[in-house]
Amino acid sequence: MVTIESIIIGIVFILIQLYALTIVERSPIGEQKLLSLSGGVAIAYVFIYILPTLHKKQEEFGGSLALDTELYFLGLLGLLVYFSVYSFAQTKAATHLTELTVYMVQASFFMVYSFIISYVVFSTDVKRVESLFYGLAISLHFIGWSYHLGKKHPRLHKTRGRYMLAGATFLGSIMGVFGPSSGLLIESMIAFSSGAMLFNVISKELPFEKHAHLPTFLISSLVYAATMISLKVFFDW
């Protein structure tokens, strides 16, 4: 079902994919604070929403599946695939390849990742404030990893990659609106993207760098988590 909220979120997602580098570099609060804000909200989103959702989906399918851990395994698989793509760019073998090849391997994974997340967000039956609240977390998450990808390969990202990512995001959003919103395939997509998101947030969005702004990270994480928990209690999300 197409709503005003879904249209707004879709446009924001696509604009972020196109202009993540510019958004971060020209942020009025500064690059460090914006990335720390992104990481803080993302880590809270993972632990307060993603992991409980994965647990809930596993319980729903537990009776019809052979084991009690299939979706968790898919989450692990998502984490391992992301780690493999991330590690590939750091290997000696990658140094013998062209920059285009290395970038395309990473960009291709993120296209799939963007498609899955966009599909899941738009196929989920959430309305109004809830959808905007979750959309905010995903938007900041997109800013974080899109910026890191583009920062390493600015020329390729600006000329090719950002359009590929925006296209995958747009396709995922459209298919999420009109495609199936439940079933084992959708739950598998949620599980796979959850694992990938968990690794991405911990490896790329936590403020390990000495120039990160720790107070912004801590405050944004705690405020977002407390707000989400409160809204869950009062509105039964």
Side-chain angles (χ1 to χ4, degrees):
M1 179 180 178
V2 180
T3 63
I4 296 297
E5 291 81 6
S6 66
I7 293 174
I8 293 174
I9 293 172
I11 293 174
V12 170
F13 281 2
I14 293 171
L15 289 176
I16 285 173
Q17 298 289 24
L18 290 173
Y19 302 109
L21 282 173
T22 302
I23 291 172
V24 175
E25 292 171 350
R26 298 184 181 181
S27 169
I29 65 173
E31 180 178 325
Q32 297 173 11
K33 288 185 178 181
L34 180 58
L35 291 176
S36 295
L37 172 66
S38 167
V41 171
I43 198 67
Y45 182 77
V46 166
F47 281 95
I48 304 300
Y49 180 75
I50 293 295
L51 294 182
T53 297
L54 184 59
H55 178 71
K56 178 181 178 181
K57 297 300 181 183
Q58 180 63 61
E59 286 188 331
E60 291 176 356
F61 280 91
S64 59
L65 299 180
L67 304 172
D68 293 328
T69 56
E70 289 90 348
L71 294 183
Y72 291 112
F73 174 76
L74 288 175
L76 173 63
L77 186 62
L79 186 151
L80 294 177
V81 171
Y82 194 142
F83 176 74
S84 298
V85 172
Y86 174 76
S87 299
F88 166 75
Q90 317 299 322
T91 61
K92 290 184 177 180
T95 62
H96 300 294
L97 301 174
T98 64
E99 182 186 5
L100 176 61
T101 301
V102 175
Y103 177 80
M104 289 303 295
V105 169
Q106 298 178 78
S108 297
F109 170 79
F110 279 113
M111 286 176 65
V112 176
Y113 183 62
S114 298
F115 173 87
I116 291 176
I117 290 183
S118 299
Y119 187 102
V120 169
V121 169
F122 282 85
S123 65
T124 304
D125 186 23
V126 293
K127 301 293 187 298
R128 298 189 181 282
V129 177
E130 184 179 2
S131 64
L132 293 175
F133 194 71
Y134 294 147
L136 170 64
I138 297 298
S139 296
L140 289 171
H141 175 60
F142 275 8
I143 287 176
W145 66 254
S146 186
Y147 170 78
H148 287 297
L149 179 64
K151 193 71 172 178
K152 290 185 177 180
H153 309 276
R155 181 181 61 83
L156 291 173
H157 190 76
K158 290 179 180 179
T159 58
R160 300 187 185 187
R162 60 178 180 156
Y163 300 108
M164 296 162 55
L165 296 172
T169 301
F170 176 75
L171 183 61
S173 301
I174 294 298
M175 293 190 67
V177 171
F178 298 104
S181 59
S182 61
L184 184 58
L185 176 62
I186 307 303
E187 315 312 336
S188 298
M189 293 170 69
I190 292 175
F192 182 87
S193 62
S194 297
M197 182 179 292
L198 182 62
F199 176 80
N200 180 76
V201 169
I202 293 177
S203 65
K204 302 297 291 183
E205 296 187 51
L206 289 183
F208 293 131
E209 296 84 354
K210 62 180 180 180
H211 298 299
H213 199 268
L214 183 59
T216 300
F217 173 80
L218 294 176
I219 293 173
S220 62
S221 180
L222 293 174
V223 169
Y224 187 88
T227 303
M228 180 178 285
I229 292 173
S230 299
L231 292 174
K232 280 174 174 280
V233 171
F234 289 112
F235 297 102
D236 192 29
W237 285 4

